[in-house]
Each structure stands twice: as structure tokens, then as C-alpha cells.
Amino acid sequence: PPFAHADAYPTRVRLPGPPLMLVARIMAIEGEAGSLTSGRVITEHDIHPGAWYLDCGKIPTCIAVEAGQADLFLSGYLGIDAVTKGLAVYRLLDAEVKFHRGLPGPGETISYDIRISRFARQGDTRIFFFSFESSVSGQPFLSMTNGCAGFFSAAELAAGKGLVRASMERRPEPRSLPADWTELAPVHPAGVWESYDDRALACLRSGDLAACFGPAFSLGLKSPIGLPDGRMKLIDRVPELDLRGGRYGLGLIKAEADIRPDDWHLVCHFIDDNVMPGTLMYECSLHALRFLLLRLGWVGESSEMSYEPLPGTAGRLKCRGQVTAATKKVQYEIHVKELGYRDGVPYALADAIMHADGRPIVQMTDMSLRIPGLTAGKLTSLWRGKQSGVAQRPSLPVPIPLFDAGKILSFAIGKPSEAFGEPYKIFDSGRVIARLPGPPYQFLDRITQIRGCKPFVLEAGGEIEAQYDVPSDAWYFAANRTRTMPFAVLLEAALQPCGWLAAY
């Protein structure tokens, strides 16, 4: 009853709803209710067989951290809603996470000992400082320290400046590969990048490495590791991958994900304040790093390997912006800073920046991955006899697309404004526009160059370069006795860029 006042507020501090409500039990509470002082709560999370989030048979990094979410419960118990009165909402600001052992799996229970050390006030904004220690079967599992979160009004969130990075954090800092480093998969020289569209990532999720990365990855694996699917499908495409690029010269990847208002992670987090969890942002960056490591040739059977944080390495998260239902696209920019083998097991260390609609909002430092189940020896044996050195796919550098498959698909069957911007908003509904064909008769994947013309200016002389990736299992091969592309498809593939240019 002392908390009944919060029931009438437009928002209040919440735990996430299912499927991201990860507190199975609250075992103990310490602290004076409503006091806005220090407090403590002990919770547990059970990892069940068949849990929706399992990745390689283990709890993923983001879920392991997110399950320590009862700092939300504790801040409510200590009385934050009596101060915010539903006019300010919770946002994570900072956290540092260090794992002490490998990730647990089904049948195990994680215990979280969560403490709020103090509340503070900056103007009208309330913040609090927190930490937790977690364990599995009484053994240390992970520590979250230097946690800071605040409660912000809509005006404060709208006025946020995003991530402010010092020039020193952007300055090149070249590093070297280990002295005994051996290339496995073919690698382009620095400055030559590759790009991968939604279809390529779908092939990777289905276990078809060669369809994603090229014929060099036809390695005879029965069920190769890829990227997670279902709710844990967190990146849609990779516009840029440079295996010798980035701030440290050890690899750069830029990945994208489309945001939709009904995305599960928004709808459940939180029920009256939809916002993407910071832990999931971290996991998206890990998936981008994982894609880069797969492209390096760190592949194997999915039943024999997994992805885990590097024990003893503290990863830091700094959040200075939000992803809401109004966000259209998020981008993850990962700079690899260390690659090698520790005790024979491959590992990587990286820094990451997340952008929301082009604006930097989250910084992740010393993000780590190790791949137990893989060894340097296994990888050398797997790739022995395969071509190494300079990559053969693609045969020419693949430029960053000016218009990618997602925008082209929007022009074909979606909202034309998502393809060409505000001037085409009038065609999103109620008015007819000349369109490209949709799948399966769409034979255009990206526009890579535009010369001699400006958008929305009807003048002759414009030129574009377009690309179409011919799938090895395209429907028209199966339908044609000669197993070649029918002439009608070839003509259509040449015609569709003309229609696109007319619309542009």
C-alpha cells in the first residue's frame, strides 16, 4: 500500500516484461523502503533447457548481464517513484563488467547480489550508483562495477547531445598481429573493403558459409557455426568490412540493424517506456565482431564451439543516448584492437561505437570474445590446402553501397520514402508510383556509383553503377533445363537499374 501512489503515474520504474524479465526469485532485500538511501537485493535466474536465448548451448553475454536487472526493482523499493512521479524514466549511463569464468548453460542457476550504494541529485535529475556480484554454484561468475543510472524527463532525453568523444579516442593507433600469426581465409590488403547484404547474413545464419563469404569457405563442415537467429537476430547487414582497417589496423566492421516500433526488445522494455536495453546494444556489437572473426576463418562445427567473454577482462559501457520506436536504423562500428591465441584458444579484443540514425550514442571499450572449442591446431588443419593470402571474393573491391538492398526493397514493395527520402513521402500511401518488381523478380541488390545527376532533377546525362548478386540456388536455375540464367532474367537485371535511376 505505501507504493499505491505510483500506480496512477504515466510511467514508473519497472522490470522488463517477458521474454526479458529474467528475475526468477527475490531471495532477500535490505534497506528502508522509500528512504532513497542504500539497499541490497539478492535474486536468482534459472537457465532452462530450450530457453529462447541459448547460443551454442549457453547463456549469451547480454542475457547474463541483463539478468542482474533488479537494480530497477531496488530503486523502486527505495522510493524513486515518489520523487519522479512518472515524469522521469530510467536510463543506464555507465557500467563495467568482468567475467570470472565461462558462460553457464541449462540446468544451472545464477545468483545476483545487487547493491545500490547511494542516490544523488544533479539539478532536477536523480541518479544512483550500483553494482552486483554474481555466482554459479557458489563460484564467482561475473562482477558489474561502477554502475550509474539516472531518471530523465522527456525534455532532458530530447536535449541529450549523444556521445562526446575526445579527439584522442579517434586517433589512429596501429598495432601488430602476433609474430606467429598465419592467415587462414583470404584477406584483402588494408583499405579494400567488402560488404554483405541481408541475404548474405541469412545464408550465414542457415550455416552456408560459402554462400556468404565465397567458395574459399567450402570447408566440408557438417553444421558450421554462424550467427544466432530468432529473437537473437540482432544485425541485418554489413555495409563495410575491412580486415586490415580501423583505428588499430587489425580490422573494422560496420554493421546495421533496422528498428521497428513492434520489435520485441522495445515492446517488453519497458511496458510504458519502450527503449532498447543497453545490454542488447552490447550483444549487437558482439555479433558484429563475431561476423568479422568468422570472415577471418575462425569457423568450426556449431556443436563443438561457443563464444564467451575473456575472463578477467573488464568491458566498459557508456550510454549517452537512446533507441526508441522513433529510431529507424542503428549502426555498430567495431575496431579490433587485439587478435591472437591464448592457451591455444582464439580470442579478440575490440572497441565499439553505436549510432542511432547516424548519431553516436553508446561507447563500448575492451569488448572481448574467446572461442572455446576452437584451437590454433584445429583451424590450421581445417584450412590446410586452401588458398590463402589475397582474397578472391570479391574479385574487385566492393564499394560501400550508396543505396543498399534494404532501400531498394522499400522502393519495390515498402515505403518509397524509406528509399528516396522526404520528397517521396507522398507516395507512402494513397498515391501510385512506378515501382521495381518485388522478389522473386527483383534482380537489383545495390547502387554503388552515381555520376552526372542530382536527386529529383529531371535532366539527361546521369549515370549509375548497379550490382546484382546471382544466387547459386536461384529459382530460375532450377526452372531452366540448361541450368543457366534465362535471357529474360538477364535483360530484366539490366532494365531494373534504369527504372531505379528514373525514380532517383
Side-chain angles (χ1 to χ4, degrees):
F3 294 87
H5 60 88
D7 294 344
Y9 295 152
T11 68
R12 76 280 301 162
V13 66
R14 296 265 202 182
L15 286 175
L20 209 57
M21 209 295 285
L22 303 170
V23 178
R25 289 170 297 282
I26 292 177
M27 309 300 292
I29 304 173
E30 297 178 6
E32 182 183 349
S35 66
L36 280 186
T37 56
S38 61
R40 178 188 184 196
V41 62
I42 298 175
T43 68
E44 292 182 345
H45 173 72
D46 303 320
I47 307 173
H48 295 290
W52 63 268
Y53 53 68
L54 290 178
D55 181 16
C56 299
K58 298 184 178 181
I59 190 171
T61 299
C62 70
I63 301 297
V65 178
E66 181 64 36
Q69 60 196 198
D71 65 289
L72 293 156
F73 172 90
L74 187 56
S75 68
Y77 176 78
L78 293 174
I80 191 64
D81 288 312
V83 176
T84 62
K85 301 187 183 303
L87 302 178
V89 292
Y90 172 97
R91 293 293 182 270
L92 177 68
L93 295 173
D94 298 287
E96 184 172 308
V97 176
K98 182 187 294 185
F99 285 78
H100 307 296
R101 50 152 279 178
L103 297 170
E108 296 186 274
T109 293
I110 311 174
S111 177
Y112 296 86
D113 188 340
I114 304 163
R115 300 168 188 257
I116 290 179
S117 59
R118 63 189 175 95
F119 286 81
R121 183 173 178 172
Q122 293 183 348
D124 294 329
T125 302
R126 297 281 182 160
I127 61 175
F128 68 89
F129 301 90
F130 67 106
S131 62
F132 67 70
E133 296 290 336
S134 77
S135 60
V136 177
S137 300
Q139 299 300 311
F141 170 46
L142 76 93
S143 301
M144 200 289 295
T145 57
N146 298 316
C148 180
F151 293 84
F152 302 92
S153 67
E156 288 173 322
L157 292 171
K161 300 183 184 302
L163 198 63
V164 179
R165 299 171 63 201
S167 59
M168 187 174 68
E169 295 177 301
R170 299 190 294 269
R171 188 181 304 156
E173 188 185 314
R175 299 188 180 187
S176 301
L177 291 164
D180 59 351
W181 181 265
T182 301
E183 298 293 1
L184 300 171
V187 175
H188 287 295
V192 179
W193 61 80
E194 307 165 14
S195 65
Y196 298 84
D197 61 16
D198 304 52
R199 185 168 52 194
L201 267 69
C203 291
L204 184 61
R205 287 190 174 90
S206 69
D208 194 341
L209 298 177
C212 179
F213 295 124
F217 281 76
S218 296
L219 299 166
L221 294 169
K222 295 179 181 178
S223 180
I225 196 74
L227 289 175
D229 210 338
R231 288 196 182 106
M232 296 302 283
K233 175 182 176 289
L234 300 179
I235 58 175
D236 292 323
R237 66 197 65 89
V238 175
E240 183 176 347
L241 173 64
D242 184 347
L243 294 176
R244 291 296 173 262
R247 182 184 175 197
Y248 305 100
L250 298 181
L252 168 70
I253 181 169
K254 296 181 180 179
E256 291 182 349
D258 300 323
I259 301 297
R260 300 170 182 81
D262 61 350
D263 280 336
W264 70 270
H265 53 80
L266 293 178
V267 175
C268 74
H269 185 276
F270 300 98
I271 192 67
D272 45 18
D273 172 35
N274 292 172
V275 65
M276 187 177 185
T279 52
L280 205 64
M281 298 173 180
Y282 197 91
E283 188 75 14
C284 294
S285 298
L286 285 175
H287 283 200
L289 175 59
R290 179 166 163 176
F291 184 95
L292 183 147
L293 299 182
L294 288 166
R295 173 59 184 84
L296 274 177
W298 285 358
V299 299
E301 298 287 2
S302 57
S303 60
E304 299 175 357
M305 54 187 285
S306 60
Y307 292 90
E308 297 182 347
L310 197 60
T313 299
R316 293 178 294 280
L317 179 68
K318 179 189 291 184
C319 301
R320 296 297 182 268
Q322 58 180 349
V323 172
T324 68
T327 306
K328 301 299 183 186
K329 185 179 293 185
V330 292
Q331 302 88 16
Y332 303 92
E333 177 184 326
I334 287 73
H335 297 255
V336 179
K337 64 196 303 185
E338 197 172 315
L339 283 170
Y341 299 89
R342 188 172 294 184
D343 299 325
V345 177
Y347 80 95
L349 205 63
D351 294 340
I353 297 292
M354 177 185 177
H355 299 76
D357 291 333
R359 182 187 188 195
I361 62 167
V362 178
Q363 182 175 14
M364 289 150 273
T365 308
D366 290 338
M367 189 174 65
S368 67
L369 273 182
R370 67 188 295 268
I371 314 178
L374 276 190
T375 64
K378 278 186 179 180
L379 289 169
T380 300
S381 176
L382 179 66
W383 284 94
R384 184 175 291 123
K386 284 286 182 180
Q387 181 178 8
S388 60
V390 177
Q392 298 302 305
R393 188 264 176 207
S395 57
L396 292 174
V398 176
I400 300 174
L402 302 176
F403 288 79
D404 60 19
K407 289 187 176 180
I408 291 168
L409 189 62
S410 292
F411 177 39
I413 62 175
K415 294 182 177 180
S417 66
E418 294 179 357
F420 295 113
E422 188 67 25
Y424 269 65
K425 206 167 186 65
I426 56 174
F427 300 111
D428 284 354
S429 62
R431 291 187 60 173
V432 175
I433 184 176
R435 292 187 181 256
L436 290 179
Y441 215 70
Q442 183 178 317
F443 309 121
L444 177 60
D445 286 310
R446 66 191 69 87
I447 307 298
T448 56
Q449 290 193 42
I450 302 173
R451 297 183 293 268
C453 59
K454 298 178 181 179
F456 316 118
V457 178
L458 284 173
E459 292 179 351
E463 297 179 359
I464 62 170
E465 288 186 9
Q467 294 183 348
Y468 168 53
D469 299 327
V470 181
S472 59
D473 59 348
W475 59 270
Y476 45 75
F477 288 142
N480 198 20
R481 285 182 302 170
T482 61
R483 301 290 294 175
T484 56
M485 179 185 285
F487 194 52
V489 173
L490 180 62
L491 288 178
E492 183 69 15
L495 177 65
Q496 289 183 10
C498 304
W500 185 93
L501 178 56
Y504 176 82

